[in-house]
């Protein structure tokens, strides 16, 4: 089974997965991948653009391989704001889309504590897109 976990930054997507995934499952989380590729002492957020580019390439490679195994293990993929094209692809794979959103106020307070203005911009964009009727994914969607 493929679970696509969406939501704004700092919503708790990784925590949601940690509460559901088993040791044998595959978890694809760009933050975890980036940290794994970073040198010692690298910040958890605000990574170097070159590091992020490498991490994105690794994420896509992991996604495509994991999709091939979704019949034998559960695959959890964090995709903050999937495009219409990606949502269609996930629907063709019969994915369950999970929207993790504790609410704008909580998300913004968490982001403020992280002191990352880029995350604030991404969260604002996520909430704007959530309001747009065309942005709501069809198919099996669960809100947490």
């Amino acid at each position: 089974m493929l679970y696509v976990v969406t939501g704004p930054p700092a919503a708790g997507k990784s925590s949601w997965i940690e509460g559901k995934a088993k040791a044998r499952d595959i978890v694809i989380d760009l933050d975890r991948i980036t940290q794994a590729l970073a040198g010692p002492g690298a910040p958890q957020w605000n990574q170097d653009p070159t590091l992020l580019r490498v991490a994105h390439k690794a994420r896509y490679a992991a996604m495509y391989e994991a999709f091939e195994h979704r019949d034998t293990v559960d695959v959890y993929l964090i995709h903050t704001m999937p495009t219409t094209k990606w949502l269609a692809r996930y629907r063709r794979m019969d994915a369950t889309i999970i929207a993790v959103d504790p609410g704008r106020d909580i998300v913004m307070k968490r982001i403020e504590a992280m002191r990352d203005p880029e995350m604030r911009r991404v969260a604002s964009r996520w909430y704007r897109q959530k309001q747009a009727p065309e942005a709501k994914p069809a198919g099996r969607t669960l809100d947490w």
Side-chain angles (χ1 to χ4, degrees):
M1 172 62 84
L2 172 61
Y3 297 94
V4 178
V5 183
T6 69
K13 299 178 294 291
S14 297
S15 296
W16 186 89
I17 290 172
E18 287 174 17
K20 304 289 183 194
K22 298 174 291 307
R24 187 171 180 273
D25 294 337
I26 297 168
V27 176
I28 302 170
D29 178 340
L30 183 63
D31 292 340
R32 289 172 67 181
I33 292 168
T34 304
Q35 281 300 119
L37 295 171
Q44 190 169 355
W45 296 282
N46 284 332
Q47 297 94 353
D48 176 80
T50 302
L51 174 61
L52 279 174
R53 182 174 173 81
V54 172
H56 273 99
K57 297 270 184 173
R59 176 179 175 260
Y60 285 119
M63 287 167 60
Y64 292 123
E65 183 62 27
F67 293 161
E68 298 299 317
H69 302 282
R70 69 187 189 281
D71 292 333
T72 58
V73 296
D74 285 340
V75 175
Y76 293 85
L77 167 65
I78 293 179
H79 197 154
T80 298
M81 286 186 288
T83 63
T84 302
K85 182 178 173 181
W86 274 108
L87 287 171
R89 186 176 292 172
Y90 296 145
R91 281 193 294 275
R92 286 193 301 273
M93 289 187 274
D94 199 30
T96 297
I97 300 170
I98 310 293
V100 177
D101 179 17
R104 185 184 188 103
D105 290 342
I106 291 170
V107 165
M108 292 307 186
K109 283 178 185 169
R110 289 176 182 171
I111 290 171
E112 185 65 32
M114 295 173 192
R115 299 179 183 352
D116 188 343
E118 179 56 29
M119 288 179 78
R120 179 177 279 283
R121 285 190 287 277
V122 173
S124 295
R125 193 169 85 229
W126 191 89
Y127 283 108
R128 277 194 309 275
Q129 286 185 352
K130 182 180 176 187
Q131 306 280 321
E134 69 277 0
K136 297 188 181 185
R140 291 183 300 174
T141 303
L142 304 172
D143 287 314
W144 294 94

